[in-house]
Amino acid sequence: MAYQVLARKYRPQRFSDVAGQEHVTRTLLNALAQGRIAHGYIFSGHRGIGKTTIARILAMALNCRTAIGTEQRPTPEPCGVCESCTEIRAGNAVDVIEIDAATNRGIDEIRELRDAARYSPARDRYKIYILDEAHQITDAAFNALLKTLEEPPDHVIFMMATTQPEDFPQTIRSRCQHFSFHAVRFEEILTQLRTIAVEEDVIAEDAALALLAEAGDGSMRDALSIMDQAIASAPLDNGKARLDAEQIRELMGSVPNTVFERLMEAISENQSAPVIEEINRLINAGNSPSQLARQFVRYLRNALMARIAGENSELLQISPDERARAARSAMLFSEEDLTRFLQVMLRTFDELNYRQEQRFHLELGLLKLVHLQRLLPVEELLSQLPAPTAGKGSLGGGPLPGTLPRLQAAPAPARPAAPAQSPARPAAPARTEAPIAEPTRPAFSPFEADRDRKITSEATTPAAASAAPPAPQALTPIETAARAAETRATEATRTTETRATEKMQPAAVVGVAEPIAEGALALAAEADTAPEAAAGGSLDLDRIREAICAALEREGHNTATALLDAGDWKQSNGAIEVTLAIKKTMLALTMNAEADKICRNTLKQLGVGEKLVFLPGEASSAAAAARPRAAASGSVQAAAMENPLVRQAQELFRAEVRTVLDLRDRK
């Protein structure tokens, strides 16, 4: 007799022999015992898990000549010894027709099947059609089979096996009983391989059988096919084939998972050199970059499942040794890190399929994993920002229709500026334009802060905590920027005091100059000083405020407009001081060079020679309420105030509209 491969030789002949499909076999046995036989079945699921096998066993049980309950057949299982069971098992039964639907998929073949189904079976009780890969049948052929499948003769039963049930028309699926098969579990495949190894008189290590079961990936047929190939290539020991793990890895072109464990350890330590050297050694040994990426993806998935559900979870369909290895790698990282790693490697694996230089892309993907360890998560940075609050002019805490609320108290990272000059150096002459600070290196570095974030076992022990000196507390980006701005303000104040001691000429300084007090920002008008203003005469502060706010609003500086309009204005010591409801770290960002130029031009047009000084602080709400600024005719604020909905909201909530933003496209 010709040699039979293991997948055919050990094909189950009874429902009880099928591994991993108890939900299907139990239902079919109950249906046979109760006589509830359907005229159409759909068996769907992974490849090599028993769909066609169960269809054949069901056909044997339906056409078995031995009655249920007899000594030869006490259960609905087929007897396996009668003529019908023997012919079906051999594949030459007249009334059981197996059709390869991938080849016979057209409407002509289905018409012939439909015509032949009208005739009674030649000998057995049922005429059974088994359609393998039934999803390959065309839509027109399915429509030709539709009426026959809905109302077939009493002696006809259709069984359709497929791996893609979603390709079936819904009209076909609704006329059949659908059984969804499960992937075979790792332990069940391993048990079957051990039984076959004993039957075939093969010496096999547990690690080797575990590799075969894992390579099957839920398919019993795939595992048996690889085992058949491994037995053929195995060395003989006293006439018996010996299977070991190293030989199977060489046969499948895979590497041991200890390699990936070493890679994960190097990644956790932010060491790029060991990662690249290990990959270089594997590729020089003849391993495919695509195969290495595939294995690493599986290893990362197992490590992630071990991190989520634990080492003994059913999510890990691997051997106990591999479970322990995956758990050790999972302890080095957080769940978020492993998720990012898996996402990067999946993208890298996809890119290897259509890239020419596969090695370069694999190395780049692994280096990304190393660099990901040095970056702070975005959610960690966002969690350090204060929650935004709604403005006073919003309805129910939200913005008005067509408007955008202004968040006045929300801080933002300060813009890095050049360090101030030392007070001992002579001051430079005043300039008419504000100097632009050259960009410097940010004070905050996520690469440095990440070193304190990494969790190490040595830092958690009491001995290490007592021996190590106290490390400085890491600052957030906002705190770092605030401290830098405070330092710059202090240095600027010292520079101003030095200039005052040198008796500088009282020339009008235009632009963003050094503050005259700590945290203050001073601006002066570039105009001829009026005699009465220089002598300390009173100014019309309301007129100046209205003019400056209107000019800023026309140019789109809405934040500066709202701050100036709500600020406290007063004349003191030959200067106009405006106290704004803003922190000193935000003052330089709001009153930038462009806003300074607008204020300068406005003061020049008004003929005001007083200096304009802005101070951080809290504006008086009572003073702001007492100085309502009328909207200019034809402006967007005037249009908003005339809206009946706005007026109704003001009357209902006693609200005050402080700021209106025009979000329409400007042409």
Side-chain angles (χ1 to χ4, degrees), residues 99-101 103-116 129 131 137-138 141 144-145:
I99 300 175
D100 180 17
T103 305
N104 304 282
R105 60 192 299 266
I107 189 173
D108 295 333
E109 290 83 358
I110 298 301
R111 284 174 178 171
E112 294 178 1
L113 183 151
R114 183 186 59 184
D115 295 339
Y129 290 92
L131 304 178
I137 298 176
T138 63
L145 184 63

PDB file of all heavy atoms in Angstrom, residues 99-101 103-116 129 131 137-138 141 144-145:
ATOM      1  N   ILE A  99     -17.753  17.669  -4.178  1.00  0.00           N
ATOM      2  CA  ILE A  99     -17.497  18.557  -5.310  1.00  0.00           C
ATOM      3  C   ILE A  99     -16.528  19.641  -4.859  1.00  0.00           C
ATOM      4  O   ILE A  99     -16.721  20.266  -3.803  1.00  0.00           O
ATOM      5  CB  ILE A  99     -18.803  19.191  -5.828  1.00  0.00           C
ATOM      6  CG1 ILE A  99     -19.770  18.104  -6.286  1.00  0.00           C
ATOM      7  CG2 ILE A  99     -18.521  20.172  -6.956  1.00  0.00           C
ATOM      8  CD1 ILE A  99     -21.127  18.637  -6.711  1.00  0.00           C
ATOM      9  N   ASP A 100     -15.487  19.852  -5.649  1.00  0.00           N
ATOM     10  CA  ASP A 100     -14.561  20.952  -5.403  1.00  0.00           C
ATOM     11  C   ASP A 100     -15.167  22.216  -6.013  1.00  0.00           C
ATOM     12  O   ASP A 100     -15.099  22.429  -7.225  1.00  0.00           O
ATOM     13  CB  ASP A 100     -13.193  20.643  -6.015  1.00  0.00           C
ATOM     14  CG  ASP A 100     -12.192  21.769  -5.772  1.00  0.00           C
ATOM     15  OD1 ASP A 100     -12.458  22.600  -4.879  1.00  0.00           O
ATOM     16  OD2 ASP A 100     -11.163  21.812  -6.464  1.00  0.00           O
ATOM     17  N   ALA A 101     -15.762  23.043  -5.163  1.00  0.00           N
ATOM     18  CA  ALA A 101     -16.457  24.229  -5.660  1.00  0.00           C
ATOM     19  C   ALA A 101     -15.494  25.266  -6.216  1.00  0.00           C
ATOM     20  O   ALA A 101     -15.903  26.153  -6.968  1.00  0.00           O
ATOM     21  CB  ALA A 101     -17.294  24.848  -4.546  1.00  0.00           C
ATOM     22  N   THR A 103     -13.261  24.639  -8.384  1.00  0.00           N
ATOM     23  CA  THR A 103     -13.146  24.319  -9.811  1.00  0.00           C
ATOM     24  C   THR A 103     -14.504  24.332 -10.498  1.00  0.00           C
ATOM     25  O   THR A 103     -14.671  24.888 -11.584  1.00  0.00           O
ATOM     26  CB  THR A 103     -12.483  22.943  -9.986  1.00  0.00           C
ATOM     27  OG1 THR A 103     -11.228  22.946  -9.300  1.00  0.00           O
ATOM     28  CG2 THR A 103     -12.267  22.626 -11.459  1.00  0.00           C
ATOM     29  N   ASN A 104     -15.508  23.723  -9.873  1.00  0.00           N
ATOM     30  CA  ASN A 104     -16.865  23.656 -10.434  1.00  0.00           C
ATOM     31  C   ASN A 104     -17.705  24.767  -9.810  1.00  0.00           C
ATOM     32  O   ASN A 104     -18.559  24.520  -8.952  1.00  0.00           O
ATOM     33  CB  ASN A 104     -17.479  22.285 -10.151  1.00  0.00           C
ATOM     34  CG  ASN A 104     -16.613  21.158 -10.670  1.00  0.00           C
ATOM     35  OD1 ASN A 104     -16.596  20.859 -11.859  1.00  0.00           O
ATOM     36  ND2 ASN A 104     -15.863  20.532  -9.772  1.00  0.00           N
ATOM     37  N   ARG A 105     -17.435  25.983 -10.236  1.00  0.00           N
ATOM     38  CA  ARG A 105     -18.049  27.142  -9.599  1.00  0.00           C
ATOM     39  C   ARG A 105     -19.028  27.878 -10.494  1.00  0.00           C
ATOM     40  O   ARG A 105     -19.674  28.835 -10.040  1.00  0.00           O
ATOM     41  CB  ARG A 105     -16.956  28.128  -9.166  1.00  0.00           C
ATOM     42  CG  ARG A 105     -16.100  28.634 -10.321  1.00  0.00           C
ATOM     43  CD  ARG A 105     -14.857  29.359  -9.824  1.00  0.00           C
ATOM     44  NE  ARG A 105     -15.180  30.517  -9.029  1.00  0.00           N
ATOM     45  CZ  ARG A 105     -15.275  31.747  -9.521  1.00  0.00           C
ATOM     46  NH1 ARG A 105     -15.081  31.955 -10.824  1.00  0.00           N
ATOM     47  NH2 ARG A 105     -15.573  32.751  -8.748  1.00  0.00           N
ATOM     48  N   GLY A 106     -19.164  27.442 -11.728  1.00  0.00           N
ATOM     49  CA  GLY A 106     -20.004  28.161 -12.674  1.00  0.00           C
ATOM     50  C   GLY A 106     -21.455  27.739 -12.616  1.00  0.00           C
ATOM     51  O   GLY A 106     -21.848  26.779 -11.953  1.00  0.00           O
ATOM     52  N   ILE A 107     -22.256  28.464 -13.381  1.00  0.00           N
ATOM     53  CA  ILE A 107     -23.693  28.210 -13.372  1.00  0.00           C
ATOM     54  C   ILE A 107     -24.031  26.902 -14.090  1.00  0.00           C
ATOM     55  O   ILE A 107     -24.994  26.218 -13.730  1.00  0.00           O
ATOM     56  CB  ILE A 107     -24.444  29.401 -13.996  1.00  0.00           C
ATOM     57  CG1 ILE A 107     -25.949  29.251 -13.794  1.00  0.00           C
ATOM     58  CG2 ILE A 107     -24.076  29.567 -15.462  1.00  0.00           C
ATOM     59  CD1 ILE A 107     -26.729  30.473 -14.230  1.00  0.00           C
ATOM     60  N   ASP A 108     -23.217  26.488 -15.072  1.00  0.00           N
ATOM     61  CA  ASP A 108     -23.492  25.242 -15.773  1.00  0.00           C
ATOM     62  C   ASP A 108     -23.311  24.039 -14.857  1.00  0.00           C
ATOM     63  O   ASP A 108     -24.134  23.103 -14.876  1.00  0.00           O
ATOM     64  CB  ASP A 108     -22.562  25.123 -16.995  1.00  0.00           C
ATOM     65  CG  ASP A 108     -22.838  26.204 -18.025  1.00  0.00           C
ATOM     66  OD1 ASP A 108     -23.995  26.697 -18.074  1.00  0.00           O
ATOM     67  OD2 ASP A 108     -21.903  26.565 -18.779  1.00  0.00           O
ATOM     68  N   GLU A 109     -22.268  24.027 -14.045  1.00  0.00           N
ATOM     69  CA  GLU A 109     -22.057  22.919 -13.114  1.00  0.00           C
ATOM     70  C   GLU A 109     -23.159  22.848 -12.076  1.00  0.00           C
ATOM     71  O   GLU A 109     -23.618  21.747 -11.707  1.00  0.00           O
ATOM     72  CB  GLU A 109     -20.706  23.058 -12.417  1.00  0.00           C
ATOM     73  CG  GLU A 109     -19.494  22.836 -13.310  1.00  0.00           C
ATOM     74  CD  GLU A 109     -19.127  24.081 -14.098  1.00  0.00           C
ATOM     75  OE1 GLU A 109     -19.845  25.102 -13.963  1.00  0.00           O
ATOM     76  OE2 GLU A 109     -18.128  24.046 -14.837  1.00  0.00           O
ATOM     77  N   ILE A 110     -23.622  24.005 -11.583  1.00  0.00           N
ATOM     78  CA  ILE A 110     -24.688  24.017 -10.585  1.00  0.00           C
ATOM     79  C   ILE A 110     -26.002  23.555 -11.200  1.00  0.00           C
ATOM     80  O   ILE A 110     -26.815  22.884 -10.547  1.00  0.00           O
ATOM     81  CB  ILE A 110     -24.819  25.412  -9.966  1.00  0.00           C
ATOM     82  CG1 ILE A 110     -23.522  25.783  -9.246  1.00  0.00           C
ATOM     83  CG2 ILE A 110     -25.993  25.475  -9.004  1.00  0.00           C
ATOM     84  CD1 ILE A 110     -23.138  24.824  -8.144  1.00  0.00           C
ATOM     85  N   ARG A 111     -26.235  23.858 -12.478  1.00  0.00           N
ATOM     86  CA  ARG A 111     -27.450  23.372 -13.137  1.00  0.00           C
ATOM     87  C   ARG A 111     -27.430  21.849 -13.259  1.00  0.00           C
ATOM     88  O   ARG A 111     -28.464  21.192 -13.045  1.00  0.00           O
ATOM     89  CB  ARG A 111     -27.568  24.012 -14.518  1.00  0.00           C
ATOM     90  CG  ARG A 111     -28.039  25.471 -14.484  1.00  0.00           C
ATOM     91  CD  ARG A 111     -27.993  26.085 -15.864  1.00  0.00           C
ATOM     92  NE  ARG A 111     -28.483  27.465 -15.862  1.00  0.00           N
ATOM     93  CZ  ARG A 111     -28.404  28.299 -16.901  1.00  0.00           C
ATOM     94  NH1 ARG A 111     -27.833  27.880 -18.036  1.00  0.00           N
ATOM     95  NH2 ARG A 111     -28.883  29.527 -16.813  1.00  0.00           N
ATOM     96  N   GLU A 112     -26.259  21.287 -13.566  1.00  0.00           N
ATOM     97  CA  GLU A 112     -26.171  19.830 -13.626  1.00  0.00           C
ATOM     98  C   GLU A 112     -26.410  19.219 -12.246  1.00  0.00           C
ATOM     99  O   GLU A 112     -27.074  18.177 -12.120  1.00  0.00           O
ATOM    100  CB  GLU A 112     -24.793  19.428 -14.149  1.00  0.00           C
ATOM    101  CG  GLU A 112     -24.536  19.828 -15.601  1.00  0.00           C
ATOM    102  CD  GLU A 112     -23.139  19.457 -16.055  1.00  0.00           C
ATOM    103  OE1 GLU A 112     -22.396  18.870 -15.229  1.00  0.00           O
ATOM    104  OE2 GLU A 112     -22.792  19.758 -17.208  1.00  0.00           O
ATOM    105  N   LEU A 113     -25.866  19.857 -11.210  1.00  0.00           N
ATOM    106  CA  LEU A 113     -26.100  19.355  -9.849  1.00  0.00           C
ATOM    107  C   LEU A 113     -27.580  19.430  -9.495  1.00  0.00           C
ATOM    108  O   LEU A 113     -28.139  18.494  -8.897  1.00  0.00           O
ATOM    109  CB  LEU A 113     -25.265  20.183  -8.866  1.00  0.00           C
ATOM    110  CG  LEU A 113     -25.278  19.813  -7.388  1.00  0.00           C
ATOM    111  CD1 LEU A 113     -23.935  20.215  -6.752  1.00  0.00           C
ATOM    112  CD2 LEU A 113     -26.390  20.529  -6.623  1.00  0.00           C
ATOM    113  N   ARG A 114     -28.226  20.503  -9.878  1.00  0.00           N
ATOM    114  CA  ARG A 114     -29.643  20.662  -9.564  1.00  0.00           C
ATOM    115  C   ARG A 114     -30.491  19.625 -10.292  1.00  0.00           C
ATOM    116  O   ARG A 114     -31.451  19.065  -9.723  1.00  0.00           O
ATOM    117  CB  ARG A 114     -30.078  22.073  -9.956  1.00  0.00           C
ATOM    118  CG  ARG A 114     -31.511  22.415  -9.617  1.00  0.00           C
ATOM    119  CD  ARG A 114     -31.863  23.776 -10.177  1.00  0.00           C
ATOM    120  NE  ARG A 114     -31.690  23.808 -11.636  1.00  0.00           N
ATOM    121  CZ  ARG A 114     -31.852  24.902 -12.369  1.00  0.00           C
ATOM    122  NH1 ARG A 114     -32.136  26.060 -11.783  1.00  0.00           N
ATOM    123  NH2 ARG A 114     -31.703  24.863 -13.687  1.00  0.00           N
ATOM    124  N   ASP A 115     -30.139  19.320 -11.524  1.00  0.00           N
ATOM    125  CA  ASP A 115     -30.907  18.311 -12.268  1.00  0.00           C
ATOM    126  C   ASP A 115     -30.694  16.915 -11.697  1.00  0.00           C
ATOM    127  O   ASP A 115     -31.641  16.116 -11.613  1.00  0.00           O
ATOM    128  CB  ASP A 115     -30.503  18.335 -13.750  1.00  0.00           C
ATOM    129  CG  ASP A 115     -30.876  19.641 -14.426  1.00  0.00           C
ATOM    130  OD1 ASP A 115     -31.769  20.345 -13.889  1.00  0.00           O
ATOM    131  OD2 ASP A 115     -30.252  20.002 -15.452  1.00  0.00           O
ATOM    132  N   ALA A 116     -29.448  16.638 -11.258  1.00  0.00           N
ATOM    133  CA  ALA A 116     -29.186  15.303 -10.711  1.00  0.00           C
ATOM    134  C   ALA A 116     -29.796  15.128  -9.336  1.00  0.00           C
ATOM    135  O   ALA A 116     -30.064  13.986  -8.916  1.00  0.00           O
ATOM    136  CB  ALA A 116     -27.679  15.069 -10.637  1.00  0.00           C
ATOM    137  N   TYR A 129     -24.609  15.995  -0.926  1.00  0.00           N
ATOM    138  CA  TYR A 129     -23.649  16.779  -1.710  1.00  0.00           C
ATOM    139  C   TYR A 129     -22.753  17.563  -0.728  1.00  0.00           C
ATOM    140  O   TYR A 129     -23.248  18.361   0.085  1.00  0.00           O
ATOM    141  CB  TYR A 129     -24.357  17.757  -2.645  1.00  0.00           C
ATOM    142  CG  TYR A 129     -25.074  17.084  -3.791  1.00  0.00           C
ATOM    143  CD1 TYR A 129     -26.415  16.728  -3.693  1.00  0.00           C
ATOM    144  CD2 TYR A 129     -24.409  16.798  -4.983  1.00  0.00           C
ATOM    145  CE1 TYR A 129     -27.085  16.115  -4.739  1.00  0.00           C
ATOM    146  CE2 TYR A 129     -25.064  16.179  -6.035  1.00  0.00           C
ATOM    147  CZ  TYR A 129     -26.388  15.839  -5.902  1.00  0.00           C
ATOM    148  OH  TYR A 129     -27.050  15.216  -6.951  1.00  0.00           O
ATOM    149  N   LEU A 131     -19.910  20.290  -0.697  1.00  0.00           N
ATOM    150  CA  LEU A 131     -19.273  21.326  -1.524  1.00  0.00           C
ATOM    151  C   LEU A 131     -18.125  21.940  -0.717  1.00  0.00           C
ATOM    152  O   LEU A 131     -18.359  22.658   0.267  1.00  0.00           O
ATOM    153  CB  LEU A 131     -20.277  22.408  -1.923  1.00  0.00           C
ATOM    154  CG  LEU A 131     -21.544  21.923  -2.648  1.00  0.00           C
ATOM    155  CD1 LEU A 131     -22.475  23.085  -2.934  1.00  0.00           C
ATOM    156  CD2 LEU A 131     -21.181  21.216  -3.929  1.00  0.00           C
ATOM    157  N   ILE A 137     -18.092  29.721  -5.339  1.00  0.00           N
ATOM    158  CA  ILE A 137     -19.211  29.656  -6.287  1.00  0.00           C
ATOM    159  C   ILE A 137     -19.649  31.072  -6.647  1.00  0.00           C
ATOM    160  O   ILE A 137     -19.739  31.958  -5.785  1.00  0.00           O
ATOM    161  CB  ILE A 137     -20.378  28.858  -5.678  1.00  0.00           C
ATOM    162  CG1 ILE A 137     -19.929  27.419  -5.393  1.00  0.00           C
ATOM    163  CG2 ILE A 137     -21.580  28.842  -6.606  1.00  0.00           C
ATOM    164  CD1 ILE A 137     -20.991  26.582  -4.713  1.00  0.00           C
ATOM    165  N   THR A 138     -19.944  31.293  -7.907  1.00  0.00           N
ATOM    166  CA  THR A 138     -20.337  32.623  -8.367  1.00  0.00           C
ATOM    167  C   THR A 138     -21.742  32.970  -7.893  1.00  0.00           C
ATOM    168  O   THR A 138     -22.528  32.093  -7.494  1.00  0.00           O
ATOM    169  CB  THR A 138     -20.267  32.700  -9.892  1.00  0.00           C
ATOM    170  OG1 THR A 138     -21.203  31.765 -10.447  1.00  0.00           O
ATOM    171  CG2 THR A 138     -18.862  32.366 -10.391  1.00  0.00           C
ATOM    172  N   ALA A 141     -24.369  31.275  -9.980  1.00  0.00           N
ATOM    173  CA  ALA A 141     -24.537  29.864  -9.630  1.00  0.00           C
ATOM    174  C   ALA A 141     -25.291  29.709  -8.308  1.00  0.00           C
ATOM    175  O   ALA A 141     -26.115  28.795  -8.156  1.00  0.00           O
ATOM    176  CB  ALA A 141     -23.171  29.196  -9.548  1.00  0.00           C
ATOM    177  N   ALA A 144     -28.872  30.103  -9.008  1.00  0.00           N
ATOM    178  CA  ALA A 144     -29.446  28.921  -9.647  1.00  0.00           C
ATOM    179  C   ALA A 144     -29.721  27.815  -8.635  1.00  0.00           C
ATOM    180  O   ALA A 144     -30.638  27.008  -8.821  1.00  0.00           O
ATOM    181  CB  ALA A 144     -28.492  28.407 -10.727  1.00  0.00           C
ATOM    182  N   LEU A 145     -28.936  27.781  -7.553  1.00  0.00           N
ATOM    183  CA  LEU A 145     -29.113  26.761  -6.527  1.00  0.00           C
ATOM    184  C   LEU A 145     -30.119  27.180  -5.467  1.00  0.00           C
ATOM    185  O   LEU A 145     -30.536  26.355  -4.648  1.00  0.00           O
ATOM    186  CB  LEU A 145     -27.750  26.482  -5.869  1.00  0.00           C
ATOM    187  CG  LEU A 145     -27.655  25.376  -4.828  1.00  0.00           C
ATOM    188  CD1 LEU A 145     -27.978  24.021  -5.439  1.00  0.00           C
ATOM    189  CD2 LEU A 145     -26.280  25.366  -4.192  1.00  0.00           C
TER     190      LEU A 145
END
